[in-house]
Amino acid sequence: MPFLLLGLFLLVSGLATAQEPPVPFLPLTHYAPLWEKSLFTTRDLPSPDAPAGPIFTDSLSLTGIYELDGQTVAVLVDRTTSLISEARLDVENEAGIKIRKITPGASMDKTRVQLQKGDQAGWVNFADAPAAAPVNPAPALETRPAVVPGGAPVGGVTTPLLPRMGIPPPPPSDVPLPPQ
């Protein structure tokens, strides 16, 4: 008899589990905000390769990269103010800029550095460095051949104003004359 009751109980419990679940299943899209807006997930920054407008790296150029005490440091120059600053890997500097990623190139001048400031990111490289500004040379002083006035004694010898016949005149001197 106990076996009969046990069998009857299993039969009834099996029928109970075959019925509809007590709570209907919701579609998967109902749970989408859990992974789209969760505070416990990391958000990647928008791709810096396609910025939506001017960003902070537009005025920066990379002038050098070195390692100090096991930490990578990039030397940056602001092309508008000529101020030089340093950015470190994963550590913000006084301007709030840090290195996010370094992409080595085939040569040192092809290396690219991705910088991050707040939620903006952008790339700088050596090719962005300002070209050496052409130096405007100071206007050269007027050069004239050194001519000793005729009849003036030089070491006790008088020199004529005109060269002697048959002797070519001396080449003009490159020594600049003082301004008058």
Side-chain angles (χ1 to χ4, degrees), residues 61-65 75 107-113 124-130:
S61 294
L62 182 64
T63 57
I65 299 174
V75 181
S107 62
M108 188 62 172
D109 62 335
K110 302 290 185 211
T111 300
R112 292 176 19 143
V113 175
V124 293
N125 58 26
F126 287 101
D128 290 340

Side-chain angles (χ1 to χ4, degrees), residues 20-161:
E20 287 187 30
V23 177
F25 290 112
L26 297 174
L28 193 58
T29 57
H30 175 76
Y31 301 102
L34 290 176
W35 59 81
E36 291 173 355
K37 298 179 183 177
S38 175
L39 297 174
F40 303 103
T41 60
T42 58
R43 289 177 177 72
D44 197 16
L45 294 174
S47 174
D49 295 328
I55 57 174
F56 73 100
T57 56
D58 292 345
S59 65
L60 296 177
S61 294
L62 182 64
T63 57
I65 299 174
Y66 64 94
E67 187 171 322
L68 180 67
D69 296 329
Q71 193 172 31
T72 304
V73 180
V75 181
L76 308 168
V77 64
D78 189 331
R79 292 187 299 252
T80 57
T81 62
S82 298
L83 293 176
I84 297 173
S85 62
E86 292 181 345
R88 296 178 187 270
L89 190 63
D90 297 325
V91 177
E92 291 184 359
N93 64 7
E94 63 278 355
I97 299 172
K98 67 180 178 179
I99 298 174
R100 183 172 177 200
K101 185 189 316 182
I102 298 175
T103 307
S107 62
M108 188 62 172
D109 62 335
K110 302 290 185 211
T111 300
R112 292 176 19 143
V113 175
Q114 186 182 35
L115 301 174
Q116 180 177 343
K117 182 178 184 180
D119 62 346
Q120 287 186 339
W123 292 94
V124 293
N125 58 26
F126 287 101
D128 290 340
V135 178
N136 294 335
L141 296 173
E142 182 181 342
T143 58
R144 292 183 229 151
V147 176
V148 178
V154 176
V157 179
T158 61
T159 56
L161 285 176

